[in-house]
Amino acid sequence: MLGKFIVFEGIDGAGKTTQLDLLGRELENRGYPVVYTREPGGTRVGELIREILLNPLYGELAPRAEAFLYAAARAQLVAQVIIPALEAGKIVLCDRFVDSSLAYQGFGRGMDILMLEQINRPAIAGLVPDLVLLLDFCCDDAIDRLSRSGRGADRIEQEQQEFYRRVRLGYLSLAGREPGRYNIIDANRPVDLVLCDILKAVGEVLNEVTERNNRA
Ligand code: TMP
């Protein structure tokens, strides 16, 4: 693929969305074509699925049905947005990807990781992020931040603190499996320091794009 696929991961409240927007603006200022997207969602169909997944009204959602819905939204996003953007040479910044399912449904809910990987295989169609930025954030601070945000908790955020601890450790264990592709960023710091580390991590990936463009 011509473009680059950069994914932000981390527990709710870690600051992914803020950092994704800041990184995107910085890249645009440097002249890179950027596509911003998110999971679940990012497409018309995906946003409808997001509503089912996050609305506390649907508390009866069974864990396996939840896992399939995340995978379905992902399949739509990959086909409709991510692959076409990468083929057009764009930099895709995605707020969450398949690791969210492994961390939340797998480590958080205790579903079998291999089964989740199987469910997701057709959804991601072989697509692997060039870089995963894991914003590692202390669970207690995350819960504080969510309660201070003033909006009501969504269905997933209503989970217990212990759930978020498992998710966080799950992420760290996933990152440990493939240290080359993950960059763990300490997100318990001011926004500008976190961004600085993100820019460093993204630098290598971007150098490849610049060199390729210079050769073209
Ligand atoms: P967010 O867009 O605000 O991060 O919310 C998405 C929520 O959905 C968040 O609590 C994490 C959760 N989630 C999963 O449990 N599994 C997944 O595969 C994805 C993409 C998100």
Side-chain angles (χ1 to χ4, degrees), residues 148-203:
R148 273 188 279 112
S149 72
R151 63 175 172 86
D154 67 31
R155 196 179 58 82
I156 305 289
E157 288 165 2
Q158 287 175 350
E159 298 290 345
Q160 301 297 314
Q161 199 147 342
E162 193 42 46
F163 173 83
Y164 280 108
R165 283 217 178 84
R166 289 198 300 274
V167 173
R168 178 183 175 215
L169 293 179
Y171 270 129
L172 291 172
S173 131
L174 292 171
R177 287 200 315 197
E178 275 183 89
R181 218 159 38 77
Y182 289 77
N183 207 298
I184 303 174
I185 311 266
D186 175 6
N188 304 278
R189 296 175 300 154
V191 170
D192 52 334
L193 294 185
V194 176
L195 180 63
C196 192
D197 280 2
I198 289 176
L199 287 170
K200 259 188 239 155
V202 170

Side-chain angles (χ1 to χ4, degrees), residues 14-25:
K16 287 177 290 91
T17 313
T18 305
Q19 292 293 340
L20 185 147
D21 286 342
L22 290 171
L23 172 65
R25 253 183 274 152

